Amino acid sequence: MQRTRLSTLANVTSSRFNSFFGNPWRRISLQIICVLFGIFSGQAIVTTAGQTAQWDVTAAGLLVLFTEAISRIVYRKSSQAKPAPILRESFNLLKIGITYSLFLEAFKIGS
């Protein structure tokens, strides 16, 4: 790949991001924030889609598509040898939070 300003900017930004979250406390706090944001966004999507009762199927389809895409990216065979990058790990934790909130909403409804 050619060394352009954009590729240099992307490389520098990603290396700074990784070095900033290399600290274990910052990494754990980012993981907790991702899980909590996933729980919040999952509950927000379910309640707003369920209010009108017209977007239930569409919202469910989009959530399933999102979770399956993230699972495919995270659990690929080639990525098992290396440690997971922070962005991939954050999306996986966001997915876990959304899935957890959907289970909680299902228990609240009683279905």
Side-chain angles (χ1 to χ4, degrees), residues 97-111:
I98 289 174
T99 306
Y100 180 70
S101 71
L102 292 177
F103 278 106
L104 283 180
E105 289 293 324
F107 282 131
K108 280 194 242 178
I109 292 173
S111 54

Side-chain angles (χ1 to χ4, degrees), residues 46-64:
V46 168
T47 55
T48 55
Q51 234 176 1
T52 59
Q54 294 177 352
W55 292 97
D56 289 342
V57 176
T58 307
L62 289 175
L63 284 176
V64 167

Side-chain angles (χ1 to χ4, degrees), residues 31-93:
Q31 292 171 348
I32 291 171
I33 288 171
C34 285
V35 170
L36 291 176
F37 184 71
I39 291 171
F40 170 74
S41 61
Q43 289 181 347
I45 289 169
V46 168
T47 55
T48 55
Q51 234 176 1
T52 59
Q54 294 177 352
W55 292 97
D56 289 342
V57 176
T58 307
L62 289 175
L63 284 176
V64 167
L65 183 70
F66 173 74
T67 56
E68 289 298 321
I70 295 299
S71 294
R72 185 170 177 94
I73 291 170
V74 169
Y75 299 116
R76 240 185 262 166
K77 273 193 169 188
S78 62
S79 66
Q80 295 297 328
K82 311 181 261 190
I86 187 74
L87 190 61
R88 191 180 336 160
E89 185 178 320
S90 298
F91 275 127
N92 191 31
L93 290 170

Side-chain angles (χ1 to χ4, degrees), residues 16-27 86:
R16 285 186 184 174
F17 186 77
N18 287 334
S19 67
F20 181 76
F21 287 110
N23 185 348
W25 287 105
R26 289 181 186 155
R27 191 175 188 101
I86 187 74

